[in-house]
Amino acid sequence: MPLVTTKQMLLDAQKGNYAVGAFNVENMEMVMAVMEAAEELKSPVIMQTTPSTVKYAGLDFFLANVKAAAERASVPVAMHLDHGSSFELAMQAYRTGYTSIMIDGSHGSFEENIAVSKAVADACTPSGIPVEADDNPYTDPDQAVEFVKRTGITSLAVAIGTAHGVYKGEPKLDLDRLSEIREVVDIPLVLHGTSGVPDETVTECVNRGICKVNYATDLRIAFTKGVSEVFSENPDVIDPKKYNACGKERV
């Protein structure tokens, strides 16, 4: 089916008290792996790319991979810009055909974050493209209400103690903070940095209102392990399909 936006996907998740998986895909094999898993589980799915991934090959290249996968799929698929680092990149993704946009203005001041998030939301909303934004370093429930009201975003990435990359030890999440945010913010909530968070903790976050969970590092580790396994068993292999297939299976 054609690519869909994340708007209804996440509203359905919010209503049904579940979360949709959002997976950072960095090559064709990762796209194929995520798609196979989504089909097997009959689950809607979000595929996404970060600015560094986009820089490697271009928005159009990654969109084409996901669009081809979506057209073969029987489940809803959305293409999302993860951690859009500027208004300009967000608009490039929007014009290229991404069906969901994140703008991450969290490295600036609260007012600067509001300004850039509102600018992206104002540009995307008329075409029905949903916008996710980020409120860091720890989301204050009262500020979150103001942030959502002033920006017009459609989903909010909450900061409750997760981090990107590989954790040193088990992450400690502020679940009570999440519940407080859920009580006062009515749009879908997003959990970033889910790789490495125990499954039972992720489940509890979903029970407390998370509607989208992001995974990136776990997929990178899995793919790399798969490729490494092939070379450890057969160092002379030269066919990329053979080691990439193993990476895909691990993902």
Side-chain angles (χ1 to χ4, degrees):
M1 63 175 65
L3 286 169
V4 302
T5 75
T6 57
K7 185 174 183 179
Q8 193 60 47
M9 193 184 283
L10 296 187
L11 288 174
D12 289 345
Q14 185 175 28
K15 183 178 179 181
N17 195 35
Y18 62 88
V20 179
F23 304 96
N24 288 60
V25 288
E26 303 193 55
N27 58 25
M28 182 181 71
E29 286 76 19
M30 284 186 170
V31 171
M32 294 168 69
V34 170
M35 199 68 261
E36 287 178 23
E39 286 281 13
E40 180 182 338
L41 297 172
K42 296 180 172 55
S43 171
V45 69
I46 300 166
M47 301 205 207
Q48 52 190 33
T49 54
T50 60
S52 61
T53 302
V54 168
K55 186 177 180 180
Y56 181 73
L59 290 158
D60 54 348
F61 192 92
F62 288 105
L63 176 64
N65 272 268
V66 175
K67 185 176 180 181
E71 289 172 349
R72 299 182 183 183
S74 62
V75 297
V77 182
M79 184 58 173
H80 177 75
L81 175 67
D82 187 30
H83 286 286
S85 53
S86 67
F87 175 81
E88 291 74 20
L89 179 60
M91 291 301 95
Q92 289 171 14
Y94 169 68
R95 289 191 293 268
T96 300
Y98 275 53
T99 59
S100 182
I101 305 291
M102 179 189 181
I103 179 64
D104 184 355
S106 63
H107 299 294
S109 68
F110 183 65
E111 290 298 327
E112 289 170 337
N113 194 355
I114 286 178
V116 69
S117 299
K118 183 180 187 304
V120 173
D122 286 349
C124 293
T125 298
S127 297
I129 299 299
V131 175
E132 174 187 329
D134 193 6
D135 185 18
N136 260 336
Y138 269 91
T139 302
D140 175 85
D142 293 333
Q143 278 196 336
V145 173
E146 180 184 356
F147 188 82
V148 170
K149 182 178 180 180
R150 291 176 60 187
T151 59
I153 58 172
T154 55
S155 61
L156 177 69
V158 296
I160 57 171
T162 54
H164 297 96
V166 179
Y167 288 101
K168 295 180 179 178
E170 186 174 315
K172 304 297 182 184
L173 305 192
D174 190 343
L175 297 176
D176 290 338
R177 181 185 296 267
L178 172 58
S179 294
E180 292 172 9
I181 298 166
R182 178 71 289 167
E183 287 181 5
V184 295
V185 173
D186 60 359
I187 62 174
L189 303 179
V190 179
L191 185 68
H192 283 246
T194 315
S195 292
V197 178
D199 288 348
E200 59 270 21
T201 304
V202 177
T203 298
E204 182 60 24
C205 288
V206 175
N207 290 338
R208 292 176 184 240
I210 290 294
C211 302
K212 174 177 178 270
V213 290
N214 286 19
Y215 288 90
T217 301
D218 277 351
L219 274 66
R220 291 176 174 179
I221 292 172
F223 187 83
T224 302
K225 282 184 176 179
V227 173
S228 298
E229 287 171 8
V230 173
F231 280 109
S232 66
E233 295 173 3
N234 184 3
D236 297 323
V237 65
I238 61 170
D239 186 348
K241 293 188 294 297
K242 292 183 178 179
Y243 49 80
N244 283 342
C246 192
K248 177 171 77 73
E249 182 61 29
R250 294 294 176 270
V251 171

